[in-house]
Every structure is written in C-alpha cells, then in structure tokens.
Amino acid sequence: MIKRLGVITSGGDSPGMNAALRAIVRTAIHHNVATFGFLQAYQGLIDNAYVELNSRSVSNIIQRGGTIIRSARCKAFKTPEGQAQAAANLTALEIDALMVIGGDGSLQGATKLAEHWPGQIIGLPGTIDNDLWGTDYTIGYFTALDTALHAIDKIRDTADAIDRVFLIEVMGRMAGFIAEGVGVSGGAEAILVPERPVDVDVLIQDMNQAKQKGKVSFIMIVAEGAYPGGASALAHLLEERSGVECKPCILGHVQRGGSPTALDRILASKLGAFAVEQALLGVSNVMAGIINNELVLTPMEQTWQNKKSLDPYLFKIQKILSQ
Ligand code: ADP
Ligand code: F6P
C-alpha cells in the first residue's frame, strides 16, 4: 500500500500539466497518501529538490498553462550515474510510487529509472505532440490545436486580402499530429508532416491549379520536422521555383502556452485521478491513457517503441474539402 507519492512534470511542458498535477495531489490526499513534487523533472530527482504538496498547493492552477513544479530537459539523467542518484534519493525519502507526466523521452527515462529503483512508476502522456502510443490523446494536444488554429484563421484574413502563399510552421519535430489537426480544422490547402515525403513539384502544381480555380488564398501547414529548414527554407524554394510570393510564419512556442481548454482539463483530471487509483492497486511500469473513451494502461516501453499513426482519412478529405 503506497503512503508516499512522488510526481514530476518532464520534457516539453504542455497546457494541462497543472490540471493533472492537481488531480494527482487531491486524489492522493483523498486516499491518505502524501505527495512530493520534484522540481524541474529528473533534475529535481537528482538534486533531491522537492516540495511536499497539499490540497492548497494545487489551488487555482487547473486553468494555468506551464507547470508549477517546473520541467527540464536533463542530460545528467541520461547517464546511469544520474539514474542511480535519482533512485537513491527516492529511496532515502521513502517514496513508494512516482508519477511521470511527460512525452516519449520522459517515459523512456521512466523505463531507465525502473532499472535502478524498485518503486512503482506510472506515466501520464504530457505533451502537445500527441505522439504517444497507448492513448488517443495526450495532455496539451487540444490546447495546442486551438492556439495554432486561432493564428491560422488570422493569417487567412491577410492571405485573402493579398495574393500570397503562406506556409505556417507548427510544432511536431517527429510527429505531424498538430499539423494534421490544424490543417483540416483550418481549411488548409496543403498539410506537410514528417511522416510523409514532400514533393515540391506537386506543391507548385497545386498552387497553380488553385489560382486557376480562382482561389484567393493558399495556406500550407508545415510541421517543423516535415522539411529540412522548416517553413522558411521551403517558402524560399517555392518562391524561387514558382515566382509566387511565399511567406513563412513560424508559430513556435506559443503553441506550448495558454490556459488549457476544457478537453485538456478533463483529460488531465481523469488521467491524474486514474493513475493514483491504479498506483494504489499496485500497478507499475505503465502509462495511463484513454482509448475510445476508456481509461487504459499500456506497458511503458510500448508507449515510445510503437509509432502512433496519423489519420489517413483526414488527409484524404483535406484534399477534397480544400479544393
Ligand atoms: P519529452 O518527454 O517531452 O519527449 P525529452 O525528450 O526532452 O522530452 O525527455 C525529457 C527528459 O527525459 C530528458 O531531458 C531526459 O532527462 C529524460 N530522458 C529522455 N530520454 C531518455 C533516455 N533514453 N534515458 C534516460 N533519460 C531520458
Ligand atoms: O515535445 C514537445 C515540443 O514542443 C515539440 O513539439 C517541439 O519540437 C519541441 O518540444 C521543442 O523543444 P524545446 O522546447 O526544447 O525547444
């Protein structure tokens, strides 16, 4: 029976991490479990930097982006020495279970920690990328979609006003879920993702055909990992090859901030409470997720070894609906 629970928010922060932390702390308190937040993710485990969290510690944070226990990308934890130090600190503090809220890298780190520490480890999918296998959605994805979409709608106003092609770069170095989602919801004429090859000749042909059809704007959504050098490099090449003015717009880290949407708050609250309930049942080395609206557990390794696929139907209808 766990009595002392640790939690970290790790890697690329995402809107909803605070909502998940709040659910973890308050569910733990409901079951008479003490909670310790380690500051700056795995770095905090190595430095033994933590705060004990009570119900008031997580007041008024459900609506806040970022993470009150901060995050980090910690190189030291990629070494066995760093992992061993973290394990020793958890043991010395008599932590029984650790919640890791983060993306695929953080969950890889959790798998490594398990080689050094016998306590229970449960992952929660905290990343805007939505690229973790074992859950339909990750915490932060919905908010990042809405943030990017509001920017795209604004770009479309000026794209309609002046004859130009816009290439809007969204986050997703290794995965095109944000690009796929905002491409369809933003009515983009093209969606470029790391998972699919970019054919410049086809893009130019599509641009020309759109103009011949009388379309007054042409918007491409470019995932940052879809083309070497991203939207800026591709815009330069397309303008050079087509003679059409092509303007890049890099949305960048604005997609990582903002108040989480209702869907992200609901997802984070469900997964946080579920993770604590499962920890109380003794589970370990799994990630809590939601598939077809069912709460599920997935072995930790599978979440980052298996590749989640984009939705081919969205790419099919995007071509038809943007004609
Ligand atoms: P994300 O979790 O958003 O994918 P990162 O890829 O930066 O972000 O991973 C977050 C942290 O997890 C890293 O900074 C590192 O501390 C830890 N980590 C990532 N991969 C590994 C690994 N293979 N072994 C040990 N720790 C890792
Ligand atoms: O993993 C989330 C993410 O926002 C990716 O979409 C993006 O490529 C990366 O983090 C950016 O990393 P950093 O915040 O370290 O620049």
Side-chain angles (χ1 to χ4, degrees), residues 54 65 78 84 99 145 186 202 228:
N54 59 40
K78 292 193 174 182
M99 302 280 158
L145 284 185
V202 168

Side-chain angles (χ1 to χ4, degrees), residues 10-13 17 41-43 71-79 83 101-110 112-113 126-127 129 131 304:
S10 175
D13 56 289
M17 280 188 166
Y42 290 115
Q43 192 62 53
S71 183
R73 297 186 193 276
C74 172
K75 287 189 174 63
F77 194 74
K78 292 193 174 182
T79 68
Q83 294 151 22
I101 307 171
D104 63 323
S106 299
L107 300 191
Q108 286 187 57
K112 289 290 185 185
L113 177 63
T127 174
D129 290 352
D131 58 347
W304 46 270

Side-chain angles (χ1 to χ4, degrees), residues 8-316:
I8 61 170
T9 47
S10 175
D13 56 289
S14 71
M17 280 188 166
N18 279 325
L21 178 66
R22 170 181 174 272
I24 288 167
V25 171
R26 292 195 172 164
T27 305
I29 289 167
H30 179 72
H31 294 281
N32 300 314
V33 173
T35 308
F36 300 83
F38 287 86
L39 306 177
Q40 291 189 283
Y42 290 115
Q43 192 62 53
L45 290 183
I46 291 173
D47 298 344
N48 205 31
Y50 62 88
V51 289
E52 186 162 359
L53 297 166
N54 59 40
S55 202
R56 299 286 61 80
S57 309
V58 291
S59 292
N60 202 25
I61 67 167
I62 191 171
Q63 77 282 11
R64 287 175 54 191
T67 159
I68 62 167
I69 56 171
R70 311 199 63 227
S71 183
R73 297 186 193 276
C74 172
K75 287 189 174 63
F77 194 74
K78 292 193 174 182
T79 68
E81 296 74 20
Q83 294 151 22
Q85 183 58 57
N89 289 337
L90 286 166
T91 301
L93 202 55
E94 296 180 322
I95 299 292
D96 307 301
L98 179 71
M99 302 280 158
V100 177
I101 307 171
D104 63 323
S106 299
L107 300 191
Q108 286 187 57
T111 306
K112 289 290 185 185
L113 177 63
E115 295 171 10
H116 297 265
W117 184 61
Q120 294 169 240
I121 307 176
I122 297 183
L124 284 84
T127 174
I128 65 169
D129 290 352
N130 200 38
D131 58 347
L132 281 168
W133 199 80
T135 187
D136 289 343
Y137 303 108
T138 59
I139 297 165
Y141 171 61
F142 295 118
T143 306
L145 284 185
D146 281 4
T147 300
L149 183 60
H150 293 149
I152 289 162
D153 287 348
K154 289 181 170 65
I155 292 281
R156 186 172 289 284
D157 289 343
T158 182
D160 284 351
I162 300 180
D163 261 350
R164 284 167 174 162
V165 168
F166 278 91
L167 290 86
I168 302 172
E169 185 179 296
V170 296
M171 280 190 154
R173 197 178 291 148
M174 314 293 281
F177 290 94
I178 295 175
E180 169 191 71
V182 297
V184 173
S185 54
E189 281 70 28
I191 303 175
L192 308 180
V193 293
E195 295 90 339
R196 292 172 170 230
V198 173
D199 185 328
V200 172
D201 293 329
V202 168
L203 285 177
I204 293 173
Q205 187 183 349
D206 289 349
M207 286 160 57
N208 293 334
Q209 282 175 358
K211 194 154 181 68
Q212 285 154 16
K213 285 182 201 168
K215 284 182 71 80
V216 291
S217 64
F218 194 102
I219 287 179
M220 291 184 205
I221 306 298
V222 185
E224 61 185 316
Y227 188 82
S232 299
L234 184 56
H236 179 74
L237 177 70
L238 287 172
E239 183 165 318
E240 209 171 51
R241 292 271 299 272
S242 69
V244 175
E245 194 180 11
C246 294
K247 290 289 186 186
C249 177
I250 318 297
L251 297 188
H253 286 70
V254 70
Q255 299 160 93
R256 286 260 288 274
S259 178
T261 62
L263 286 178
D264 263 328
R265 298 183 199 187
I266 294 165
L267 176 66
S269 300
K270 282 180 84 168
L271 292 180
F274 178 60
V276 173
E277 290 170 350
Q278 292 302 309
L280 288 163
L281 296 175
V283 305
S284 187
N285 291 322
V286 292
M287 180 194 77
I290 198 154
I291 294 179
N292 299 329
N293 210 29
E294 292 289 324
L295 289 165
V296 297
L297 298 174
T298 302
M300 202 76 86
E301 294 85 349
Q302 291 181 21
T303 66
W304 46 270
Q305 286 172 346
N306 296 338
K307 182 95 174 129
K308 188 157 91 174
S309 303
L310 295 172
D311 182 347
Y313 188 73
L314 286 180
F315 284 87
K316 174 186 155 191

